[in-house]
Amino acid sequence: MGFLKKSRKQSGKDLYDKKIKPDLFEKDGNIHLLMLNSFSKFFNEEFGVETKYNEQIGTILNELQKDGYEIVDVKFDSLKNQGAFGEMEGFHTLIMYK
């Protein structure tokens, strides 16, 4: 596993443990929402897999499921020309869980 991949997965795990997990609703059968903001890889201009997004958001989805939450749906949108140099895309990811 490459350094960047390991680092991105760890950043997703850290975010989950420190910020997301403490704010999750109890498992009560209702559908709850989790909105996340993130960025694409720097200079993301090639056709291919968005590994940064997949590794970070994927880790959060995995952790939710490990903790017994059911993922109902995942939605996202993107904004172009984001970041300090306008070279990144901003992502909003809405995770619906119960």
Side-chain angles (χ1 to χ4, degrees):
M1 186 181 307
F3 173 75
L4 283 177
K5 184 174 188 171
K6 188 180 279 188
S7 175
R8 289 189 293 245
K9 284 186 174 189
Q10 187 60 50
S11 73
K13 176 88 168 89
D14 290 345
L15 177 66
Y16 181 81
D17 290 339
K18 294 174 185 173
K19 303 274 183 165
I20 295 171
K21 192 171 184 174
D23 287 336
L24 292 174
F25 286 89
E26 291 185 29
K27 296 172 202 109
D28 57 8
N30 293 332
I31 295 174
H32 302 285
L33 303 175
L34 172 63
M35 176 64 80
L36 300 171
N37 298 315
S38 59
F39 287 102
S40 66
K41 295 181 285 190
F42 197 63
F43 295 117
N44 186 27
E45 296 181 8
E46 65 182 53
F47 177 69
V49 176
E50 176 49 65
T51 52
K52 179 182 177 196
Y53 180 85
N54 288 347
E55 290 158 2
Q56 291 175 329
I57 300 297
T59 297
I60 291 166
L61 291 171
N62 288 336
E63 293 300 316
L64 279 164
Q65 292 173 94
K66 279 190 214 175
D67 283 345
Y69 290 96
E70 176 186 344
I71 306 302
V72 176
D73 198 3
V74 178
K75 299 178 184 296
F76 81 101
D77 69 5
S78 62
L79 301 166
K80 294 202 175 284
N81 305 320
Q82 300 297 299
F85 301 105
E87 294 290 334
M88 302 171 85
E89 287 184 63
F91 299 123
H92 298 120
T93 304
L94 177 67
I95 300 171
M96 299 168 70
Y97 69 94
K98 62 180 183 175

